[in-house]
Amino acid sequence: MTETLMQWWQQLLPYLQQAGVAMSGAGHAAGDVAGQALGRMDMAGMLALAGALGWASGFRLYAVVFITGLIGLLGWVPLPESMHMLQSPVVLAASGFMLFMEFFADKIPGLDSVW
């Protein structure tokens, strides 16, 4: 996981340097550049980023995928083109089901072993 984060950061750093963003206090410009960099990432990179952010925040991966897709589907936040797949009803249903099962798996005897 750490190697994936380092690879992602190494891919993002040239975009930040190209835009002339100082790492110490770039403010709004850093957000613009980060948005452009996220728009250029492929699906594998976006999933790795979602997994890393979910793990770092304490959320489960299924929760990150489900909430991100739902927010995009409702139009609250426009998702980058590479993340439009998360808005699919199939992906939302699958991630919602897995989130539900994983949440209750350790609370129901026997289900934990099956899960």
Side-chain angles (χ1 to χ4, degrees), residues 13-66:
L13 194 57
Y15 295 117
L16 295 173
Q17 290 172 344
Q18 181 183 13
V21 175
M23 298 307 288
S24 60
H28 185 65
D32 291 342
V33 173
Q36 291 172 0
L38 288 175
R40 295 180 188 154
M41 291 181 74
D42 61 347
M43 179 56 80
M46 296 301 278
L47 289 176
L49 178 61
L53 291 175
W55 174 77
S57 69
F59 269 10
R60 302 174 191 268
L61 177 61
Y62 303 130
V64 173
V65 171
F66 180 75

Side-chain angles (χ1 to χ4, degrees), residues 30-113:
D32 291 342
V33 173
Q36 291 172 0
L38 288 175
R40 295 180 188 154
M41 291 181 74
D42 61 347
M43 179 56 80
M46 296 301 278
L47 289 176
L49 178 61
L53 291 175
W55 174 77
S57 69
F59 269 10
R60 302 174 191 268
L61 177 61
Y62 303 130
V64 173
V65 171
F66 180 75
I67 292 170
T68 303
L70 187 63
I71 287 173
L73 182 68
L74 295 175
W76 293 349
V77 175
L79 297 180
E81 187 69 32
S82 59
M83 293 182 72
H84 280 200
M85 185 167 106
L86 298 179
Q87 299 175 13
S88 164
V90 174
V91 173
L92 284 171
S95 62
F97 174 74
M98 289 185 281
L99 175 62
F100 179 80
M101 292 300 292
E102 189 175 45
F103 179 78
F104 287 106
D106 61 344
K107 294 167 183 59
I108 300 173
L111 185 59
D112 189 24
S113 298

